């Protein structure tokens, strides 16, 4: 039976997934608790937030937010970056953090819903961004 705390966490995460224009899923292996606190402060300054949640709860939240395409990427130690600001300021903050702290912070997938083209589904967007990443292109645009 789910606890009230878990139900509230799924609801809060679902709202973040629903209301964020930019969602990054990133592995944070090798990053200390102190470094994650510093990352949170850095991202807050870039109008973004960083959350860690149990994978089961995160999968429930993405399903509830109708973003279940992200569910397959939620494996292992994963954190979520949410923002409605410019993607460049968020990614720059993450890059500067990893350079300063010399820690791996591997972005598994980045989805910018501002780059969703009129004819695309979320699955199309994720596939297009993955393809553009492999090609070395920037992603996005219209």
């Amino acid at each position: 039976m789910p606890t009230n705390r878990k139900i509230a966490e799924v609801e809060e995460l679902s709202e973040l997934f629903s209301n964020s224009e930019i969602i990054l899923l990133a592995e944070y292996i090798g990053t200390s608790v102190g470094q994650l606190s510093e990352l949170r402060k850095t991202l807050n300054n870039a109008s973004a937030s960083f959350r860690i949640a149990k994978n089961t709860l995160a999968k429930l939240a993405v399903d509830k937010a109708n973003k279940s395409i992200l569910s397959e990427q939620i494996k292992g130690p994963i954190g979520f970056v949410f923002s409605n600001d410019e993607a460049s300021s968020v990614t720059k903050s993450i890059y500067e953090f990893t350079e300063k702290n010399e820690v791996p912070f591997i972005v598994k997938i980045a989805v910018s819903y501002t780059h969703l083209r009129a004819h695309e589904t979320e699955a199309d967007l994720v596939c297009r961004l993955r393809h553009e990443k492999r090609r070395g292109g920037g992603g996005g645009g219209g």
Side-chain angles (χ1 to χ4, degrees):
M1 181 130 203
T3 65
N4 288 337
R5 183 187 59 76
K6 288 181 180 178
I7 292 169
E9 186 171 355
V10 168
E11 187 62 37
E12 185 178 338
L13 283 169
S14 175
E15 286 181 28
L16 285 167
F17 282 113
S18 293
N19 299 325
S20 297
E21 292 295 323
I22 298 166
I23 303 168
L24 304 176
L25 280 64
E27 294 178 1
Y28 58 90
I29 298 170
T31 309
S32 71
V33 173
Q35 289 167 328
L36 289 175
S37 293
E38 184 180 337
L39 175 63
R40 283 185 175 93
K41 290 176 192 171
T42 300
L43 288 170
N44 284 338
N45 291 336
S47 299
S49 63
F50 179 73
R51 292 283 306 264
I52 295 173
K54 291 188 177 283
N55 291 353
T56 305
L57 300 180
K59 287 179 180 184
L60 290 170
V62 295
D63 288 345
K64 184 175 173 126
N66 295 319
K67 299 215 163 106
S68 55
I69 189 70
L70 300 174
S71 188
E72 69 186 50
Q73 297 298 319
I74 301 174
K75 298 175 192 158
I78 189 125
F80 306 93
V81 177
F82 301 99
S83 181
N84 288 313
D85 205 359
E86 285 291 315
S88 59
S89 67
V90 174
T91 54
K92 181 181 177 189
S93 295
I94 292 171
Y95 174 77
E96 289 173 351
F97 167 80
T98 58
E99 288 295 301
K100 176 183 171 190
N101 292 284
E102 298 180 357
V103 294
F105 192 83
I106 303 161
V107 175
K108 290 179 73 168
I109 187 168
V111 179
S112 172
Y113 286 91
T114 58
H115 293 121
L116 187 63
R117 295 176 180 160
H119 65 280
E120 286 182 318
T121 64
E122 289 176 16
D124 295 330
L125 171 65
V126 170
C127 289
R128 179 171 54 83
L129 292 175
R130 284 182 181 159
H131 176 72
E132 289 172 356
K133 181 179 178 184
R134 280 190 211 115
R135 262 193 357 225

